[in-house]
Amino acid sequence: MRGSIEKTIGFAFRTALVRPLTPSFAAASLRSTDPEIPIDMALAHRQHEKYISALRSVLDLSVVTLPALPDYPDSVFVEDSAVVLGTNCLLARPGAASRRGEVPPMAAA
């Protein structure tokens, strides 16, 4: 799988950064679905573990788990705060003010 992705995008990812879900995710996350429908945290944890497993087994990536950020429920979506290519890191400025505190810890990582 990795070879076909490299041909498509022209470079190879070697490492994926992830953060664990935090208890605040269920109550405070920004989402496009109906906020009145509660998030099933057990299901969310299972889905997140499958995502991490796929990064390792399907894409053959080394996975680095960064510390949880309990004050930032959406910090599990690390790709929203930074993209790293080789030795270059592009830090984002999240549109939601409530997510901007995720960027400094990502810069430090």
Side-chain angles (χ1 to χ4, degrees):
M1 181 75 149
R2 179 185 273 181
S4 63
I5 291 173
E6 288 175 32
K7 289 177 188 171
T8 302
I9 60 177
F11 56 86
F13 288 106
R14 304 270 185 251
T15 305
L17 303 176
V18 298
R19 285 194 195 279
L21 288 164
T22 64
S24 61
F25 182 77
S29 69
L30 300 172
R31 52 192 155 135
S32 60
T33 59
D34 186 346
E36 299 301 316
I37 299 172
I39 292 175
D40 180 338
M41 285 300 287
L43 175 61
H45 280 286
R46 287 192 305 274
Q47 291 172 332
H48 192 57
E49 286 304 315
K50 285 182 180 181
Y51 168 69
I52 292 169
S53 178
L55 292 172
R56 289 185 174 120
S57 63
V58 177
L59 297 178
D60 193 29
L61 297 176
S62 170
V63 175
V64 175
T65 302
L66 301 174
L69 297 176
D71 293 336
Y72 300 99
D74 289 307
S75 63
V76 67
F77 304 111
V78 296
E79 66 279 3
D80 293 346
S81 58
V83 176
V84 180
L85 298 172
T87 59
N88 299 304
C89 178
L90 174 65
L91 295 172
R93 182 177 186 273
S98 63
R99 297 202 60 198
R100 294 191 186 139
E102 298 171 30
V103 177
M106 183 58 78

